[in-house]
Amino acid sequence: MGAEKKPEKFVVSIGPQHPALKEPGHFEFAVEGEIVTSATARLGFVHRGMEKGTESRTWVQNLYLMERVCGICSAVHAMAYAQGVEKLAKVEVPPRARAIRQLIAELERIHSHLLWLGVAAHEGGFDTLFMLSWRDRETVMDLLEAITGNRVNYSANVLGGVKIDIDEVKSAAILKGMDFLEERTRHYMKVVTEDETFLGRTRKIGTMTLEQALRLGSVGPTGRASGVPYDVRVDAPYAAYQDFPVNIVTDTAGDLEARFVVRIKELYESYRVIRELVDHMPAGELTTRIPRRIQEGEVVSRVEAPRGELFYFLKSNGTDMPERIKVRTPSLCNWGSILATAVGHRLADMPMILAGIDPCFSCNDRMILVKRGNDQTVWTWEDLRRYGIEYYK
Amino acid sequence: MDIDQKLQAGAEIVKEWVISTSNPEVNRVDLVVAPENLKKAVAAMLDSQWGYLSAITGLDHPEYLTDETGVKKVDPDRGNLELLYHFSGGAAVLTLRVTLPYSEAVIDSICDIDMAAQLYEREAAELFGIEFRGAPSTDHLVLPDDWPVGVYPLRKAFTGLKKES
């Protein structure tokens, strides 16, 4: 009693279950009182062995595997993979197929950004915004379902083109949907830049300067909110972005508010380019033939996923199966920004800062196929298939 | 600046360490460097602000054994690992390639000059068994904590864990 108490380092451990998002990740924040003094992350809880898995599947089977790297941005994974394989096989995809790829990718970006808006609002304790933005997101989900038949994992891409087409009825539905969403998005812009309570959670929170963002390798809207001028759609146009360009959206503030503003402005860009695509859709074929065996070679395929640059490296050994496929997803680049910006903030701000980069754990974790527990055996494709059939019987 | 000029400018930055050059695609240049010079080359690339480190890809090039029945099998003990450091600058991609034999799979960590490389390095360390000298953390990042030591899943020799008795 009476002895002076020295401040102790206290570590708050968050996760793997339910840190801020509905996916597993483990974080340790060292705190002094309420202020965070250091942060570390542990990933890998949903590591599924996908890169290894590609080496024992054919080029065609892998299209469906890669689409399942992520449930939110599945179309960009399939697109990055398909574009890489087409480059390896030296096959030119028809213009209409390229335009439809871009259309699906932009619709997906809308769904992803609206999803993020809701999640981030929820983490900030603004559940009305969460529910409204997710209600409106159903518009784009319905459109994607009408066009492709699926709400997620659209399976629109095939090697050599796309397997879905749009007609006048679908075009009209898309245009109507864009008008509705644009009006709603203008309202959300007003909410996130004017609502006092919400600004208290976002303005000058988690600020990352341009210099920090460059040093930490931030990509996508997280980097662009700090002024990092990278956007693969603009820097290295793929699909039909050459003919239907988008404008890069950046901000200088670098705080959470800027990350909201950048993503919302990107939504406007997506609405605009989708209208252009629908109005000037090139005519012609949807697919071109592609050989089953892909000639030897190595290619890099980069696309702009909703979260930033998605990087694929593909190596073929001349057979019908790849030698190596490397996937570097944007969330992986953006972890550094969380761990660096967390320091000096209140513990209560951590969920918002975590949500601020729109992290996608499934994207980070891909490669190992393990069943945990005592029975540490690897499941074969046949085992998994049988398990799936039994499970859903 | 068009892509050719951009690639040339990039190759110029690291030319004193380059052993050989190739152009696998129109927007790419691959430069082979010796492992001991890699860190210097990466530092020069970052200092010049030519672009940013997009990814580090690991590749396994095992040697093959032919057993008495004539079946070709991966030799788990002999072969080379390759690391590809991809830098992106606009549409151009410059790749620094280093080759490391299994017997000496060690290279300098670049985390102190590029913090973003840490996750890429730790992925390569766990999945290919490459030691990054001076890396800030060697804890498990993607593999389970109880993963057996010395088992590297992305090497070609790995086909699955043995069932525990």
Side-chain angles (χ1 to χ4, degrees):
Chain A
M1 286 283 275
E4 206 176 313
K5 211 179 170 191
K6 277 190 184 163
E8 272 179 35
K9 188 170 139 180
F10 190 82
V11 175
V12 179
S13 164
I14 303 181
Q17 274 78 27
H18 281 249
L21 296 147
K22 310 297 169 265
E23 287 183 276
H26 178 81
F27 305 91
E28 283 183 358
F29 296 107
V31 289
E32 259 176 39
E34 273 290 298
I35 305 296
V36 174
T37 54
S38 77
T40 59
R42 167 81 163 88
L43 307 171
F45 299 97
V46 276
H47 217 250
R48 288 151 292 165
M50 285 190 165
E51 287 185 20
K52 185 75 178 177
T54 60
E55 293 170 15
S56 53
R57 285 175 178 76
T58 66
W59 289 101
V60 177
Q61 287 173 329
N62 279 325
L63 179 70
Y64 302 93
L65 183 63
M66 295 338 276
E67 182 139 13
R68 280 151 184 79
V69 167
C70 177
I72 301 175
C73 48
S74 56
V76 286
H77 278 276
M79 182 162 71
Y81 173 75
Q83 284 179 356
V85 179
E86 286 149 10
K87 271 203 277 183
L88 271 174
K90 301 197 167 52
V91 164
E92 197 67 42
V93 175
R96 189 176 178 85
R98 293 211 304 270
I100 290 177
R101 277 184 180 174
Q102 181 175 343
L103 178 76
I104 300 293
E106 289 301 324
L107 285 170
E108 183 180 67
R109 189 179 318 276
I110 294 171
H111 123 65
S112 179
H113 279 11
L114 285 174
L115 178 127
W116 174 82
L117 179 67
V119 171
H122 171 68
E123 299 308 337
F126 196 171
D127 274 357
T128 317
L129 179 57
F130 158 53
M131 288 177 190
L132 285 176
S133 61
W134 277 39
R135 181 199 67 185
D136 296 338
R137 174 172 160 269
E138 284 303 306
T139 309
V140 71
M141 299 304 276
D142 288 346
L143 285 174
L144 282 164
E145 190 181 0
I147 299 168
T148 67
N150 296 314
R151 281 167 63 88
V152 288
N153 295 340
Y154 319 110
S155 210
N157 290 279
V158 290
L159 298 181
V162 291
K163 67 176 173 208
I164 50 131
D165 202 359
I166 60 161
D167 54 22
E168 276 175 25
V169 179
K170 285 175 188 161
S171 299
I174 293 172
L175 292 176
K176 200 172 150 222
M178 291 307 110
D179 289 344
F180 169 74
L181 285 172
E182 178 141 24
E183 191 198 319
R184 293 299 303 164
T185 309
R186 293 206 183 277
H187 172 64
Y188 295 138
M189 182 63 120
K190 211 164 139 333
V191 172
V192 301
T193 53
E194 288 177 16
D195 187 279
E196 272 304 321
T197 328
F198 197 58
L199 283 176
R201 301 298 313 269
T202 61
R203 191 166 277 178
K204 297 196 170 54
I205 303 288
T207 309
M208 183 166 62
T209 63
L210 172 60
E211 198 246 323
Q212 275 180 315
L214 286 171
R215 193 165 49 85
L216 296 166
S218 300
V219 294
T222 310
R224 288 196 285 274
S226 295
V228 179
Y230 300 150
D231 189 328
V232 185
R233 294 175 293 169
V234 179
D235 298 337
Y238 52 93
Y241 285 103
Q242 195 85 52
D243 304 320
F244 300 94
V246 291
N247 298 313
I248 187 165
V249 178
T250 56
D251 201 296
T252 49
D255 56 1
L256 274 171
E257 187 193 3
R259 286 169 216 164
F260 276 91
V261 171
V262 163
R263 285 197 178 88
I264 289 178
K265 284 186 179 163
E266 284 188 6
L267 284 174
Y268 298 152
E269 271 301 298
S270 295
Y271 302 145
R272 183 187 61 72
V273 83
I274 285 172
R275 287 195 188 104
E276 272 182 39
L277 280 162
V278 169
D279 289 341
H280 304 101
M281 182 61 71
E285 293 291 311
L286 290 177
T287 52
T288 180
R289 285 188 69 84
I290 191 160
R292 200 167 59 85
R293 287 170 193 279
I294 305 292
Q295 54 183 290
E296 269 186 57
E298 294 177 359
V299 294
V300 166
S301 175
R302 293 157 70 209
V303 299
E304 186 74 16
R307 288 157 190 73
E309 181 202 35
L310 172 65
F311 184 102
Y312 266 69
F313 174 88
L314 296 96
K315 183 177 167 73
S316 172
N317 50 16
T319 66
D320 61 350
M321 291 187 195
E323 171 79 10
R324 171 92 169 99
I325 293 178
K326 158 82 188 173
V327 185
R328 200 279 287 129
T329 59
S331 290
L332 202 58
C333 300
N334 286 332
W335 280 116
S337 72
I338 289 186
L339 302 179
T341 53
V343 174
H345 280 86
R346 285 171 193 281
L347 190 62
D349 287 327
M350 288 309 117
M352 281 292 274
I353 291 178
L354 278 176
I357 67 160
D358 195 2
C360 180
F361 294 78
S362 297
C363 285
N364 293 315
D365 299 350
R366 292 169 309 280
M367 283 158 285
I368 309 306
L369 193 76
V370 182
K371 190 178 153 212
R372 296 292 300 271
N374 295 327
D375 180 23
Q376 226 179 32
T377 45
V378 172
W379 283 29
T380 64
W381 181 249
E382 193 48 41
D383 291 340
L384 274 175
R385 202 178 75 89
R386 233 177 299 121
Y387 176 79
I389 292 169
E390 282 301 315
Y391 186 87
Y392 288 107
K393 224 173 209 173
Chain B
M1 205 190 295
D2 73 6
I3 288 181
D4 284 342
Q5 285 173 322
K6 178 87 182 165
L7 289 174
Q8 269 176 16
E12 192 65 24
I13 296 163
V14 292
K15 70 166 193 264
E16 62 179 295
W17 301 290
V18 171
I19 300 167
S20 69
T21 304
S22 61
N23 284 81
E25 287 179 78
V26 283
N27 65 332
R28 280 176 60 205
V29 60
D30 280 14
L31 307 165
V32 178
V33 297
E36 62 272 21
N37 293 329
L38 176 88
K39 193 169 177 179
K40 289 177 237 169
V42 170
M45 285 301 295
L46 294 173
D47 285 343
S48 69
Q49 300 198 326
W50 181 89
Y52 61 100
L53 182 67
S54 255
I56 301 176
T57 301
L59 295 176
D60 182 21
H61 306 289
E63 290 189 19
Y64 289 89
L65 294 169
T66 312
D67 65 9
E68 54 278 11
T69 53
V71 181
K72 235 172 86 169
K73 271 176 65 183
V74 175
D75 183 343
D77 303 316
R78 288 184 307 138
N80 292 303
L81 297 164
E82 201 177 9
L83 283 175
L84 280 59
Y85 292 69
H86 306 282
F87 290 85
S88 301
V93 179
L94 181 149
T95 305
L96 297 174
R97 306 178 76 119
V98 289
T99 300
L100 307 166
Y102 283 0
S103 54
E104 216 199 322
V106 185
I107 193 158
D108 286 327
S109 167
I110 57 163
C111 290
D112 51 333
I113 52 176
D114 185 358
M115 281 173 72
Q118 202 193 130
L119 292 175
Y120 311 149
E121 281 189 356
R122 284 171 70 179
E123 234 183 344
E126 284 185 61
L127 303 175
F128 284 97
I130 295 167
E131 186 195 329
F132 289 88
R133 213 182 287 127
S137 173
T138 52
D139 287 354
H140 276 293
L141 179 73
V142 289
L143 293 179
D145 292 329
D146 53 358
W147 187 263
V149 177
V151 177
Y152 307 117
L154 273 183
R155 287 200 187 180
K156 294 283 179 192
F158 177 85
T159 52
L161 291 175
K162 298 269 182 314
K163 198 167 186 165
E164 279 178 13
S165 51

